[in-house]
Amino acid sequence: MSVTTPKGFAAAGVTAGLKPSGKPDVAVVVNQGPDQAAAAVFTTNRVFAAPIKWSREAVADGQLNAVVLNSGGANACTGSEGYADSAATASRVADRLGLIIDNVAVCSTGLIGVRLPMETLLPGVDAACTAVSTDGGASAAEAIMTTDTVAKQASVSVDGWSIGGMAKGAGMLAPGLATMLVVLTTDAVVDAGALDAALREASRVSFDRADSDGCMSTNDTVIAMSSGASGVTPDAATFQEALTGICVDLARQLIADAEGASHEIAVEVIGAASERDAVVVGREIARSNLFKCAIFGNDPNWGRVLSAIGVTDAAFHADELDVSFNGVMLCRGGQIGEDRSKVDLSERYVRVTVDLHAGHDSATILTNDLTYDYVKENAEYST
Amino acid sequence: MSVTTPKGFAAAGVTAGLKPSGKPDVAVVVNQGPDQAAAAVFTTNRVFAAPIKWSREAVADGQLNAVVLNSGGANACTGSEGYADSAATASRVADRLGLIIDNVAVCSTGLIGVRLPMETLLPGVDAACTAVSTDGGASAAEAIMTTDTVAKQASVSVDGWSIGGMAKGAGMLAPGLATMLVVLTTDAVVDAGALDAALREASRVSFDRADSDGCMSTNDTVIAMSSGASGVTPDAATFQEALTGICVDLARQLIADAEGASHEIAVEVIGAASERDAVVVGREIARSNLFKCAIFGNDPNWGRVLSAIGVTDAAFHADELDVSFNGVMLCRGGQIGEDRSKVDLSERYVRVTVDLHAGHDSATILTNDLTYDYVKENAEYST
């Protein structure tokens, strides 16, 4: 159940010493082939980190042999020196593993605006390259954790081929709470173009619909690599379904471990005139601090849901809106519905359903509540 | 220093019993003329409360004789019955004071989705109408408080005429944390059209640039009334300057008393290609929970400022951005500048300056930090 579940992949996670805690902080995932197809999606933040610039160029030709990842520093807002540091990291992996530097992607996560201590990082890269093994997936997943409390992994096997994945971050692709890094591997035979299309579609309905705190990271990256080692070429629909499943699974794990969260919230918008409208409304609700605080307080405050819907440009009439909490319709036709006392929010999982009564499209945004612990973690993170 | 500072106005604030605390909860402000010019701006939320609908219609002809305001209930999402309650409230004021019902505006603030207890409210309206006096401004300001810890009032006198004002809420016009209600009075001779133009311009650069938590209320209202009782007709520029000054003063008081805030933050954006760009960038920073948590933790985390700038469509190049905290340029040209240790954020007031190096326009957004107390107040507000 890791990035080394599919055949043709090796990985490792080691401690270089970037983190004061002494926990693992450098990971390498290697595609041993025979194929080397790759695709990636990156943060859309216009202020992006040096490794984003490096990896965009590395994956541009649809080929990657390895990804090197570090926690303990984002290497963002570090200028041309920071870019040289990313290049040096990729170069070291290429040297140690006999690869071409342009086929090595780099991911970094941690504090923005601090140079990476290369004298500490590079020996860690050496150690990770030495340690790579076909059962090293779990150690790699552990080495990319920052404020994560658990490592996130997933895998699926279908008709002789499989997909594996790991993720870190308490957030999402766009926007991201903390940096989200995801590496996906498969031994299915999938060319770079098909992999790219499948990855974009899977990300759109998974990571792009997880919204922890509305803040977009400078470093978010999702990379997919195919080794083709199974020798099996799946049909496109089957592969898409499996890849989307893995991405949704990882997105749920990210939200479940979001910083300080005490509730996981699925905001389901139905009856929308378009899927875009459903996403816009769901995201606006998921970003309302007032709504998120209410859930933390076990308060089914549907008025805060309506006030969030009201700032969007989605198609709806205010006097047709229905809002349910865990299946109890507290607001019917924009007015008072069932009594609030019928809703119990003491469980961790909360489902809020909004019916716009404007069409037949729908979307679900995953988010979490706003808690004392969120404030604490983010007030103290860099100090 | 209140709404009764200008000549021709009377006001009162009384306890009807809408709040469990037993604090004052109903206010009336009466324009005794000779003029009755009025203008107003309202929330742009598409889910708006019954009193918004009522007051929009009341002020449409540029005339108001009185405003009645209640805390202890927003009368939002209450359907046609809620609208009838607003009408009944205006009707009672008109009866008691011998006015035309269409010249009475209504403002409500409190929990969304609950009917107002009219059997409690109407006797309070009677009492307020009986109590109105030309020195009742302070009591009116007190009666509109909800989570406010202090009453907000301001006034200015210029060449024989004056402007007075009161405000409640820990937020802003658009968006609003809690409902923001503002009543402005003047004894200057200003017709309704001129008053409307002046009010819109003053709101645009004051209440519209205060952004406490990015959430827009269903009830936000700013009403201005002119009695003309001074007999003085000021020139437009002088009146504009005075009105804008009062609005900026009240906006600052609102942010200073924002729910749970421990820092007041001025986000100043300079070097923008347009005023719109400056506002967009400032607002995005002011809405970043990560940035707001960092300030709570006295952490000058400029990386979170850059990542917020990066999601906007404003004109800038990432490698030209300068960011200063309290005058210390921590980020210069998109990279590491002065050392963070040179910034002391222990004082309540924080100034963050962003230079986009893209033009000559600027704007300042007022906001506050995200604290344990914000979460606490908003997790417990309705329970």
Side-chain angles (χ1 to χ4, degrees), chain B residues 27-377:
Chain B
V28 173
V29 181
V30 186
N31 181 357
Q32 299 176 321
D35 298 345
Q36 51 186 300
V41 288
F42 300 98
T43 181
T44 57
N45 199 309
R46 293 167 63 198
V47 176
F48 53 85
I52 294 286
K53 184 173 183 209
W54 175 267
S55 297
R56 266 194 195 128
E57 292 161 3
V59 78
D61 65 353
Q63 296 192 343
L64 287 179
N65 287 122
V67 183
V68 55
L69 313 93
N70 75 272
S71 50
N75 195 12
C77 304
T78 47
S80 53
E81 294 90 342
Y83 185 72
D85 290 342
S86 287
T89 307
S91 174
R92 186 65 74 104
V93 172
D95 280 355
R96 297 287 155 168
L97 297 176
L99 307 173
I100 300 167
I101 181 175
D102 290 344
N103 281 348
V104 180
V106 181
C107 301
S108 299
T109 176
L111 191 63
I112 297 172
V114 179
R115 290 281 302 280
L116 289 173
M118 296 304 287
E119 69 287 359
T120 305
L121 174 58
L122 292 180
V125 172
D126 292 344
C129 289
T130 304
V132 290
S133 77
T134 53
D135 59 4
S139 69
E142 211 171 307
I144 59 174
M145 291 166 61
T146 52
T147 56
D148 307 68
T149 64
V150 293
K152 287 100 180 168
Q153 300 185 85
S155 69
V156 61
S157 292
V158 189
D159 296 335
W161 55 274
S162 61
I163 301 177
M166 66 178 187
K168 68 79 44 182
M172 70 305 302
L173 189 60
L177 164 62
T179 295
M180 183 192 70
L181 300 180
V182 179
V183 177
L184 301 159
T185 56
T186 183
D187 52 15
V189 178
V190 187
D191 68 35
L195 193 59
D196 184 70
L199 181 63
R200 285 177 196 283
E201 172 60 18
S203 292
R204 188 178 73 81
V205 297
S206 57
F207 305 120
D208 275 351
R209 294 190 184 169
D211 195 324
S212 177
D213 74 349
C215 295
M216 188 194 290
S217 160
T218 52
N219 291 55
D220 293 329
T221 304
V222 183
I223 291 176
M225 296 187 288
S226 163
S227 69
S230 70
V232 180
T233 305
D235 71 88
T238 306
F239 184 74
Q240 183 69 66
E241 188 183 347
L243 188 67
T244 299
I246 290 291
C247 290
V248 167
D249 186 340
L250 289 172
R252 282 191 183 143
Q253 291 185 51
L254 290 170
I255 286 291
D257 195 28
E259 290 177 349
S262 72
H263 288 87
E264 296 167 49
I265 311 168
V267 181
E268 180 185 41
V269 181
I270 62 174
S274 66
E275 191 177 339
R276 176 262 177 202
D277 271 11
V279 170
V280 165
V281 168
R283 200 180 284 288
E284 191 71 35
I285 296 166
R287 288 185 183 176
S288 163
N289 281 351
L290 292 176
F291 166 71
K292 291 154 82 92
C293 285
I295 300 295
F296 173 51
N298 294 334
D299 170 21
N301 196 316
W302 60 269
R304 295 178 181 178
V305 174
L306 258 71
S307 65
I309 300 169
V311 305
T312 71
D313 62 358
F316 69 82
H317 295 287
D319 59 0
E320 291 177 358
L321 297 170
D322 296 337
V323 179
S324 301
F325 281 69
N326 289 344
V328 181
M329 196 175 288
L330 298 184
C331 173
R332 181 178 291 115
Q335 299 181 44
I336 306 160
E338 300 295 316
D339 195 81
R340 288 166 193 249
S341 64
K342 293 188 181 169
V343 178
D344 176 9
L345 298 182
S346 60
E347 298 290 322
R348 184 173 176 90
Y349 188 75
V350 175
R351 175 165 291 269
V352 175
T353 308
V354 173
D355 191 338
L356 296 176
H357 288 288
H360 300 286
D361 281 305
S362 64
T364 298
I365 303 290
L366 302 178
T367 188
N368 49 265
D369 53 355
L370 178 53
T371 68
Y372 299 134
D373 285 346
Y374 174 88
V375 175
K376 182 175 168 64
E377 281 204 43

